[in-house]
Amino acid sequence: MVPQVAFERNVFTLNQNKFMNRKSIRSLRLLAFCSLHFFAYEGLWAQSSTQFDIVLTGGRVIDPETNLDAIRNVGITNGRVIQVTTEPIKGKETVNVSGLVVSPGFIDLHIHGIGNVEQEYQAHDGVTTALELEWGLTHLKEWYAFRESTALINYGASVSWSHARTIALDNQHDSCGDLKTKEAWSKVNWQTSEIFAQPSFYKALPPSSFPWLFTNMRNELEAGGIGIGVPIGYHPGATREEIFEVNKFAHERKAPIFMHVREGGALAVQQAIADASLTRASLHLVHLNSMALSEIKLCIEMVDAAQRQGLDITSEMYPYTAASTAIQSALFDPGWQSKFGISYNDLQWVLTGERLTEATFLKYRKAGGMVVMHMMKPEWIETGMKSHSLMIASDGMPYSKLTHPRTAGTFSRVLGKYVRQDKVLSLPDAIRKMSLMPAQRVQEMAPLMRLKGRIQVGTDADIVIFNPDTVIDKATFEKGLEFSEGIEYVLINGTFVIKNKKTVPNVFPGKAVYGKYKR
């Protein structure tokens, strides 16, 4: 007997998410894609009397794509959701989740901590997929191989424009060639990649070297890169011509750009949108809150206007009033105080938690390292939270006990502070901004993401189960990283990595998310 399946799980509401402004044909293709999975899995269940691997009973299931928000039982087998129903179902393992919310796992498009230490904090924050898309990574083939079968949660990265241009500047000499082995990747992190490339940030790439730049980026796309990371704000030497040509290349390859804009607030955002508009490139603006600062309302209006014109332009934010970056970066070249509206005491040294003075600033800038920048107002963050078009992404940093708390608490903070306490947005809206919207942002480039960010028959069982009355971030600027509260269970591809609020030992169910050009 085939179990009854609610119609609401199989109907997609066309164009219900304005931020993507997809044509109807794309929505119909996605409907057909998931319908095939639906019939396949219903048929599988009809032919078998085997119990589900896992059954979640009595939870408030929220699926942002079908607008399901109701008490349901969820059956999971072989890493996929097989049934969402009001009927009683049996499993080899049954978990009563009454009183809890059953949500698609959160998808973080912007992380820099790429190891399991960071991934454990991310999992305790409800994150099931974490992607390094702003900066990207180099030697992606080797990095993906290094992470295979060792990751707690799903992982992926974009092409590093920064590294591709560094090689082109140096007559195709790859100063990071030792990363061509899995063993080498085990010894480095994102901060290492940033520091070695820094001398090239101030150099202009001559047009005669553009073909090498495009060849390097094309090779990394074929290694699985999910678009192109373009942190132009750290590269004062990059010319307007180079960035315009990168936009043209991205459009030709149908690869999204993930951009940290130049300095200049709304003017820089406007410039990035203009380049994308003229070339028809797909553009995602990272951490709009720390780029726009007091002009965030205007910048949101520009992004929304671009979407109304049918342009594939999106953005994101994190729910904290402080940023974080490397003190030796171009962001702290002379004039940074007036640019950000802050001074030395607004900088916090990550290694010790101390606030800086002019003397310690000069000392640490020479040595290099990470700082937290206290530079935003709560009302600016609230403005971004109210926007229907901004996604949530953490910009989570490599592990350090006193690193920015967004590394561990971004998504729980949205749920605890901005949904429950401040009532700035509804719970379904928050879940949409943290799961479906980021999945849709990258699914054209990374087809696997069509099966994530949703709880429907045939989708991947990437699920977070949390208590809406207690969920909150616990990491702080003063005391450092701590697991979030209220995240009760997390499944990655149908395997528990968090159970009863505790990390499940020795499980590594995270899978690679590749771009569509992978060979």
Side-chain angles (χ1 to χ4, degrees), residues 134-351:
E134 179 201 26
W135 279 82
L137 296 172
T138 184
H139 295 290
L140 284 170
K141 179 179 178 181
E142 289 73 26
W143 178 72
Y144 275 115
F146 164 63
R147 292 299 285 151
E148 186 176 3
S149 302
T150 66
L152 288 174
I153 65 179
N154 303 313
Y155 57 95
S158 66
V159 172
S160 172
W161 159 78
S162 179
H163 186 67
R165 76 185 300 274
T166 298
I167 300 175
L169 275 165
D170 198 17
N171 297 315
Q172 291 300 102
H173 171 67
D174 185 358
S175 60
C176 202
D178 61 341
L179 289 180
K180 291 180 180 178
T181 67
K182 291 172 60 174
E183 291 73 21
W185 259 114
S186 67
K187 301 175 184 177
V188 302
N189 59 28
W190 172 80
Q191 292 181 68
T192 306
S193 299
E194 183 195 23
I195 291 168
F196 83 75
Q198 193 167 350
S200 71
F201 293 1
Y202 293 89
K203 297 179 181 179
L205 183 68
S208 60
S209 295
F210 288 177
W212 285 119
L213 170 65
F214 301 144
T215 295
N216 296 336
M217 292 195 297
R218 187 177 297 109
N219 290 340
E220 289 291 77
L221 285 172
E222 292 175 356
I226 307 169
I228 305 166
V230 183
I232 180 63
Y234 291 86
H235 294 70
T239 64
R240 289 186 290 273
E241 181 181 6
E242 178 184 348
I243 300 307
F244 189 74
E245 292 298 322
V246 169
N247 273 265
K248 288 169 60 177
F249 171 85
H251 171 65
E252 291 166 1
R253 299 298 295 168
K254 297 294 183 280
I257 290 174
F258 301 90
M259 181 176 287
H260 176 134
V261 300
R262 297 183 190 270
E263 64 179 69
L267 181 61
V269 171
Q270 194 172 47
Q271 182 184 47
I273 291 175
D275 280 347
S277 301
L278 292 171
T279 61
R280 306 299 291 185
S282 173
L283 173 67
H284 181 78
L285 301 166
V286 303
H287 48 47
L288 195 66
N289 53 314
S290 60
M291 295 292 91
L293 299 177
S294 64
E295 297 179 299
I296 188 167
K297 184 175 185 295
L298 171 60
C299 290
I300 292 170
E301 290 175 356
M302 288 193 286
V303 171
D304 290 348
Q307 291 174 5
R308 288 194 296 270
Q309 295 297 317
L311 299 173
D312 190 7
I313 296 176
T314 57
S315 192
E316 67 184 45
M317 66 172 295
Y318 51 81
Y320 293 90
T321 56
S324 183
T325 194
I327 196 171
Q328 71 273 24
S329 73
L331 270 62
F332 288 104
D333 286 352
W336 61 269
Q337 294 99 321
S338 59
K339 178 172 62 179
F340 297 121
I342 59 176
S343 190
Y344 299 107
N345 190 56
D346 296 307
L347 303 181
Q348 186 175 356
W349 188 236
V350 163
L351 289 180

Side-chain angles (χ1 to χ4, degrees), residues 102 133 149 173 185 309 373 377 399 439 447 466 485 496 499:
V102 180
L133 300 181
S149 302
H173 171 67
W185 259 114
Q309 295 297 317
M373 309 160 64
K377 295 182 179 180
Y399 174 78
F466 61 89
E485 176 63 34
F496 283 108
K499 184 180 285 190

